[in-house]
Amino acid sequence: MRKAVLRRAALCIALGACIGAMSPVMAQSATGAVAGRATAGDRIVLTNTATGMTRNITVDADGSYRLAQLPVGDYSLQVVRDGQDVGSGVAVNVALGGTTTVNLGAAGNVVNLESVQVVGQAVVNRVDVRSTESATNVTREEIARLPVDQNLESVAELAPGVNVGNASFGGLSFGGASVAENAVYINGLNVTDFYTRQGFSTAPFAFYKEFQVKTGGYSVEFGRSTGGVINTVTRSGSNELEGGVEVTFEPAAMRSSADDHFHPDGSVHAYASHDTQQFTKANVWASGPLVKDRLFMFAMYEQRQNDKGYTNNLGNQWTDSYASDGFWGTKLDWRISDNHLLEVLAFSDAGDAKLTTYNYNFATSDVGLSQGDSFADSGGDNWSVTYTGWLAENFVAKAMYGINNRSSFTRSQLDEQCSRVTIDSSYNARWIALGRPVVGCHPTGNAVIERDDEREASRLDFEWTLGEHLLRFGFDRELMTTDQTNFYPGPEGKIYTALGVRPGQLLWEDVAVPAGVTEVIRGRRRSQGGVFETEATAFYVEDVWNVTPNFLLTLGLRWDQFDNRDAGGNSFIKDDMVAPRGGFSWDVKGDGTTKVYGNLGRYYMPVTNNVNATIAGGLIDEYTYYVLNGWNQQANPVTGAPYSAPILGAQIGPVDDRLNLSTADLRKSVDRDLEAVYQDEMLLGYQAMLNDAWSWGVNGTYRRVERALDDIRINHTPCGPTATLFPIGNPGESLTIWGDASMGCATPGWITIDTSKDGYRKGGSNEVIGYSDPERTYKALEFQIDRAWDGKWAFNASYLWSKSEGNFEGPVNSDTGYGDTGIVQHWDHPAANERYGVLFNDHRHQFKFRGSYALSEQWTVGANLQVLSGGPITAFGTTWPNDTLGAGSFTNEASGGGSGWICVDKCTGNNPATGRPYTYADRVYEYSPRGAFGELPWTWELGANVTWTLPVEGVDLKVRFSVFNLTNNQETVNIHARYEGQPGDYRNGEPMWNGAPSTLANTFNTGTRWQSPRYAQLVVSWQF
């Protein structure tokens, strides 16, 4: 009886364990597949119900069949025997990256009912026994029932182990990795930012059809990622003419105020309570056939308006930001014949913003005179062409070519006249005593950055079914070009920072504050530019082998090559990498209800174009210190608004140019035998159905990184002491660079430094040592339970225990907010990587719950709760034992990284026995492990929504009202981690163990980022 009902209803069979919440699925890029068992010799005919596209295949002699590279959507499956239909057609849904399993009996009916669930008019296959990876699939329909904000980051956060990066540069962290290790694809086109890998090109939420978040075990088809992958597919046209309008409104009146924050001594840390924001967008879309059954189009235009008003942290400036831009996008599908499909995707996410900055009185909320305008452009045009050819029943070919463009241009009308001036926390009290004046005349203080990044992507993919073996192989190439200029505004190209100091305090290495000086101004000049290319190529091959009907084995190999080039087009980093990957899936009971699966593989990371521009393009990054002789009131040269300008006195010491990088001889700047960073990963899991509605799963993940690639501070080689160099290499391994007379080498030639034992010479003591071996591990145990949507309600819950530890986070450094990918401070000093322990992205406990419930045909409610334990609180000092050189900058918290050693006695001042100043050899240190100060507070965010559907037949009108962070929690999610400003001078206002009270502002363990305040969103959609 039940089978007859299924046949009559032509129900949907949608593969995906946990209906897109617990779904390890086989990578198929922007497509899916249908496979199963049936009577040998029968024809399986699959027809796309939207476009009429038909695929068919003859069942093999062993009773197996598989239809590959199918566009995502709904299909009708029909068994044909001797030219006649057998039974009724069965409706099949093909999900992104998935394989829908349909086993058919002799009468053409579905026979794998034990492994499916009847949900209204849908049949859901709960456990995918053909998959060996870990991924989460989410559809537009599911998102519409939940309070999930309209961006890819919020969708990705639904997956266990995915969290927002809490550093100033944002991003997403997958499985303990840094935010610069992920990849994002739209219809198979890689749209990841290849300059820093911290962002990606975007499209409106309503432009997407389905999302897939890969968190581990993904196949050799995907590479260039050691974090995770966001794989998306856009909407397409069909034979039905459709259209729609959607308006989204986030009113300022329904956005809660952010909290103001203060230092322990009561001085202001960050004013934010006056900030406002209002966001509105509206899109219109159309979909339908240009030629019935052959040519289809989906097109969308969206206009967005994002208006913000906010103060700077000190509360003496107000900025109005106006961003108004329009997105356009289209997808064309040309079914040339049943065996040939051509797809064209084109969209533009280009946008621009205008910012006007004013003098501001925070106490009275009075806006003063304008300080000028600045402008920011972003985004670009993107397109791809994809051909799919079913060249034989058992052979499919796919080719894609596309362009991904991301541009960025920030500028101001005052860039030439005005330098940026800032107030350091050490000068905060003095600035308040001056009456909180506006300092400097630049309206934003941002660097002048013009960058155009273009990726030219092409790939070929093939699938060849040979009995029990599915052979998958292919090639892809990306040519990534960066055209960039980057410098600070102002006539000198410097940013100036006022510092409160004391006589004798170190500014850098042996340069100290002169007697009688208590105020210093630091000028930093930083610039770089040029046109740079990186070419990345890869070949892959994979055998998906059904060893038995119940046991599947995947064996794959990926070969990658990266070729980073300088401004002249010459290779300066080139490496070949081989990444083996394998997995298994065991259908324990043979009925598709229970699965044990596992995966073991290696994953490589490319070298970002940021390294090209910095190393191969030349970098000027130098600091100059002056006595601050007070302030002059001046008038803004454009607006006439008053401001205070620093009076520069005598220069203190020489220019600190240790960070300058020359392109005169790149043989000194890059390891001749440089090797790429890789990660090894092991995944083991279990999934089972509890009944036809509920399923659950558990899996464990282990990740290990044992190689880093970064700039390494070298001041000693086998030739002897040398001026400080910062070559790109693999710290803890051998480093081969060109040696010459300037480095003390008797004759020019290649020299090899074992950086585990050599490379760093301590100041003062002259002891020669090396760097600690890099290591990062991630261990996780995940539990999930899921109840699928049945037209009435759905629920998903997950708990993840994880531990991320090592001595470096990855290619960025969130501890100090330093996001210069691939060129951070982990290896600027041996003390910066000496400590092994819990890392920034360690969140030991993660709970995620989401659910929706239909109160009636008109009303549906949804909720989304995420609970996260806090990250570690780690203290960073400035020096370590037996060394005069700084492990962290003495004047800039974000520079240098920092040490795990805190000076607790004889740090400064005079020895009473001799009357002479203490030296570095007299200092007494205490070691501070990672996480020694505990953890940040737990955070939790609850979202809720209600959706109303117009109860008029034939009219599809919906109104959804959502509230995010319903309880308005604003816990601290990141802190100032620098404990010392100088040896023994502590940034918590009190000595750590012993020593004199601090002369610095109390900043250690005070927040730098907090949870976003509560806000509401209203969405009105009308589809016709």
Side-chain angles (χ1 to χ4, degrees), residues 457-505:
S458 55
R459 65 177 300 134
L460 289 170
D461 298 279
F462 302 94
E463 292 195 3
W464 190 10
T465 303
L466 294 172
E468 297 167 345
H469 297 267
L470 169 65
L471 297 181
R472 306 177 64 248
F473 53 97
F475 162 83
D476 81 270
R477 172 185 178 271
E478 294 183 355
L479 181 63
M480 295 163 280
T481 304
T482 292
D483 184 351
Q484 175 194 262
T485 58
N486 184 343
F487 56 89
Y488 286 128
E492 302 90 13
K494 292 182 179 179
I495 174 176
Y496 294 96
T497 302
L499 308 169
V501 297
R502 64 186 181 195
Q505 175 180 322

Side-chain angles (χ1 to χ4, degrees), residues 644-674:
S644 292
I647 302 172
L648 273 59
Q651 181 174 320
I652 304 172
V655 175
D656 180 3
D657 60 0
R658 294 170 297 168
L659 298 180
N660 286 351
L661 297 172
S662 171
T663 61
D665 190 350
L666 288 179
R667 295 176 301 175
K668 295 181 180 180
S669 302
V670 180
D671 181 3
R672 184 188 64 181
D673 302 318
L674 187 70

